Amino acid sequence: MPLIEIVTMIGAPVDRVFDLSRSIDAHILSAEGSGESAVGGRTSGLIELGETVTWEAVHLGLRQRLTVEITRFDGPRMFEDEMTEGAFASMRHVHRFERLAEGTMMRDEFSFAAPFGILGRLAEILFLTQYMRRFLITRNRCLKEMAESGQWHG
Protein backbone atom coordinates (compact mmCIF):
# COMPACT_ATOMS: atom_id res chain seq x y z
CA MET A 1 0.00 0.00 0.00
CA PRO A 2 1.66 3.26 -1.10
CA LEU A 3 2.07 6.09 1.40
CA ILE A 4 2.53 9.60 0.04
CA GLU A 5 3.84 12.16 2.50
CA ILE A 6 3.92 15.83 1.58
CA VAL A 7 4.99 18.78 3.74
CA THR A 8 3.86 22.28 2.73
CA MET A 9 5.02 25.41 4.52
CA ILE A 10 2.34 28.12 4.51
CA GLY A 11 2.78 31.70 5.67
CA ALA A 12 -0.66 31.95 7.27
CA PRO A 13 -2.24 31.20 10.67
CA VAL A 14 -2.92 27.54 11.47
CA ASP A 15 -6.68 28.12 11.94
CA ARG A 16 -6.99 29.54 8.42
CA VAL A 17 -4.99 26.68 6.88
CA PHE A 18 -6.96 24.05 8.84
CA ASP A 19 -10.30 25.49 7.73
CA LEU A 20 -9.17 25.84 4.11
CA SER A 21 -8.11 22.18 4.12
CA ARG A 22 -11.54 21.00 5.21
CA SER A 23 -13.48 23.48 3.07
CA ILE A 24 -15.53 21.81 0.34
CA ASP A 25 -15.51 25.08 -1.63
CA ALA A 26 -11.71 25.46 -1.44
CA HIS A 27 -11.26 21.82 -2.47
CA ILE A 28 -13.38 22.39 -5.57
CA LEU A 29 -11.25 25.43 -6.51
CA SER A 30 -8.02 23.52 -5.90
CA ALA A 31 -9.10 20.58 -8.08
CA GLU A 32 -10.32 22.54 -11.12
CA GLY A 33 -8.21 20.48 -13.51
CA SER A 34 -10.27 17.35 -12.82
CA GLY A 35 -13.65 19.11 -12.88
CA GLU A 36 -14.22 17.92 -9.33
CA SER A 37 -17.58 18.66 -7.72
CA ALA A 38 -19.31 17.67 -4.48
CA VAL A 39 -22.45 15.70 -5.39
CA GLY A 40 -23.48 14.09 -2.08
CA GLY A 41 -23.23 14.49 1.66
CA ARG A 42 -21.85 17.90 2.59
CA THR A 43 -21.54 19.83 -0.66
CA SER A 44 -20.30 23.20 0.65
CA GLY A 45 -18.84 24.79 3.75
CA LEU A 46 -16.56 23.16 6.33
CA ILE A 47 -16.77 19.40 6.76
CA GLU A 48 -16.91 18.10 10.34
CA LEU A 49 -16.36 14.84 12.23
CA GLY A 50 -18.70 12.07 11.07
CA GLU A 51 -19.78 13.90 7.92
CA THR A 52 -19.31 12.55 4.41
CA VAL A 53 -18.80 14.09 1.00
CA THR A 54 -19.12 12.38 -2.35
CA TRP A 55 -16.80 13.78 -5.00
CA GLU A 56 -17.31 13.34 -8.73
CA ALA A 57 -14.40 14.06 -11.06
CA VAL A 58 -12.55 12.92 -14.14
CA HIS A 59 -9.27 11.20 -13.23
CA LEU A 60 -7.13 9.30 -15.71
CA GLY A 61 -9.77 9.93 -18.37
CA LEU A 62 -12.57 8.26 -16.37
CA ARG A 63 -15.51 9.88 -14.59
CA GLN A 64 -15.39 8.59 -11.02
CA ARG A 65 -17.15 8.98 -7.69
CA LEU A 66 -15.47 8.78 -4.30
CA THR A 67 -17.18 9.08 -0.92
CA VAL A 68 -15.10 9.90 2.15
CA GLU A 69 -16.02 10.24 5.81
CA ILE A 70 -14.24 12.38 8.39
CA THR A 71 -13.22 9.70 10.92
CA ARG A 72 -10.93 11.69 13.24
CA PHE A 73 -10.95 15.39 14.05
CA ASP A 74 -8.80 17.43 16.44
CA GLY A 75 -8.93 20.99 15.20
CA PRO A 76 -6.78 22.81 14.36
CA ARG A 77 -4.15 20.05 14.69
CA MET A 78 -5.46 17.27 12.43
CA PHE A 79 -8.32 15.53 10.72
CA GLU A 80 -8.56 12.26 8.82
CA ASP A 81 -10.82 11.16 6.00
CA GLU A 82 -11.32 7.59 4.81
CA MET A 83 -12.97 6.30 1.66
CA THR A 84 -16.28 4.53 2.21
CA GLU A 85 -17.08 4.04 -1.49
CA GLY A 86 -15.04 4.56 -4.62
CA ALA A 87 -12.48 3.35 -7.10
CA PHE A 88 -9.74 2.46 -4.60
CA ALA A 89 -9.67 -0.78 -2.62
CA SER A 90 -8.90 1.53 0.33
CA MET A 91 -7.89 5.14 0.90
CA ARG A 92 -6.96 7.13 4.02
CA HIS A 93 -5.81 10.76 4.17
CA VAL A 94 -4.45 12.25 7.40
CA HIS A 95 -4.10 16.04 7.40
CA ARG A 96 -1.78 17.45 10.11
CA PHE A 97 -1.12 21.09 10.98
CA GLU A 98 1.58 22.59 13.16
CA ARG A 99 1.68 26.21 14.27
CA LEU A 100 5.10 27.79 13.59
CA ALA A 101 6.43 31.29 14.24
CA GLU A 102 6.38 31.97 10.47
CA GLY A 103 3.01 30.33 9.77
CA THR A 104 1.87 26.73 9.45
CA MET A 105 3.44 23.43 8.50
CA MET A 106 0.82 21.30 6.74
CA ARG A 107 1.61 17.59 6.46
CA ASP A 108 -0.37 15.15 4.30
CA GLU A 109 -0.17 11.39 4.83
CA PHE A 110 -2.10 9.77 2.00
CA SER A 111 -2.27 5.98 1.78
CA PHE A 112 -4.25 3.95 -0.71
CA ALA A 113 -4.54 0.59 -2.38
CA ALA A 114 -5.69 0.02 -5.94
CA PRO A 115 -8.22 -2.73 -6.63
CA PHE A 116 -7.57 -5.77 -8.83
CA GLY A 117 -4.83 -7.50 -6.87
CA ILE A 118 -1.51 -7.75 -8.65
CA LEU A 119 -2.74 -5.64 -11.59
CA GLY A 120 -3.69 -2.89 -9.16
CA ARG A 121 -0.31 -3.14 -7.46
CA LEU A 122 1.36 -2.79 -10.85
CA ALA A 123 -0.75 0.31 -11.59
CA GLU A 124 0.32 1.78 -8.23
CA ILE A 125 3.98 1.31 -9.16
CA LEU A 126 3.76 2.40 -12.81
CA PHE A 127 1.61 5.53 -12.60
CA LEU A 128 -1.03 5.80 -9.87
CA THR A 129 1.24 6.83 -6.97
CA GLN A 130 2.87 9.57 -9.04
CA TYR A 131 -0.53 10.74 -10.32
CA MET A 132 -1.87 11.03 -6.76
CA ARG A 133 1.30 12.80 -5.57
CA ARG A 134 0.94 15.41 -8.36
CA PHE A 135 -2.77 15.86 -7.54
CA LEU A 136 -1.99 16.50 -3.84
CA ILE A 137 0.92 18.87 -4.61
CA THR A 138 -1.27 20.89 -6.98
CA ARG A 139 -4.06 21.04 -4.39
CA ASN A 140 -1.63 22.15 -1.66
CA ARG A 141 -0.13 24.82 -3.90
CA CYS A 142 -3.60 26.25 -4.46
CA LEU A 143 -4.46 26.11 -0.73
CA LYS A 144 -1.15 27.84 0.06
CA GLU A 145 -1.94 30.64 -2.41
CA MET A 146 -5.43 31.10 -0.98
CA ALA A 147 -4.19 31.12 2.64
CA GLU A 148 -1.30 33.49 2.03
CA SER A 149 -3.24 35.92 -0.15
CA GLY A 150 -6.15 36.13 2.26
CA GLN A 151 -8.56 35.61 -0.66
CA TRP A 152 -10.44 33.01 1.38
CA HIS A 153 -12.23 34.19 4.49
CA GLY A 154 -14.13 31.11 5.71
Side-chain angles (χ1 to χ4, degrees):
M1 175 182 296
L3 172 63
I4 300 168
E5 294 181 281
I6 299 170
V7 174
T8 307
M9 303 304 294
I10 301 175
V14 70
D15 293 325
R16 181 186 306 164
V17 177
F18 180 79
D19 284 348
L20 266 168
S21 294
R22 64 191 182 100
S23 166
I24 303 298
D25 308 295
H27 182 93
I28 291 168
L29 289 173
S30 71
E32 278 183 328
S34 63
E36 201 146 325
S37 60
V39 297
R42 178 173 280 276
T43 58
S44 66
L46 302 179
I47 196 161
E48 302 281 349
L49 180 64
E51 291 186 319
T52 64
V53 58
T54 299
W55 299 105
E56 185 174 271
V58 175
H59 289 286
L60 301 169
L62 301 170
R63 179 158 301 283
Q64 300 179 33
R65 282 191 178 208
L66 176 82
T67 301
V68 296
E69 178 181 356
I70 303 301
T71 55
R72 291 194 306 158
F73 190 96
D74 180 19
R77 292 181 225 25
M78 68 82 65
F79 70 95
E80 174 182 288
D81 56 271
E82 292 188 62
M83 184 191 79
T84 59
E85 292 182 49
F88 294 113
S90 67
M91 189 227 57
R92 180 174 157 262
H93 189 173
V94 180
H95 310 254
R96 297 187 191 280
F97 308 88
E98 184 178 335
R99 186 183 322 261
L100 303 173
E102 61 277 5
T104 302
M105 179 174 64
M106 181 172 71
R107 179 183 309 273
D108 290 275
E109 300 163 8
F110 184 86
S111 58
F112 69 98
F116 310 121
I118 191 70
L119 292 177
R121 181 68 184 124
L122 190 59
E124 292 169 5
I125 293 166
L126 292 177
F127 63 89
L128 197 50
T129 300
Q130 194 58 28
Y131 179 86
M132 294 309 302
R133 177 180 299 282
R134 278 193 310 272
F135 180 81
L136 292 169
I137 289 170
T138 299
R139 170 179 148 62
N140 287 359
R141 188 177 302 124
C142 185
L143 292 178
K144 177 180 172 71
E145 289 173 11
M146 283 189 264
E148 291 178 346
S149 73
Q151 74 184 68
W152 186 85
H153 301 287

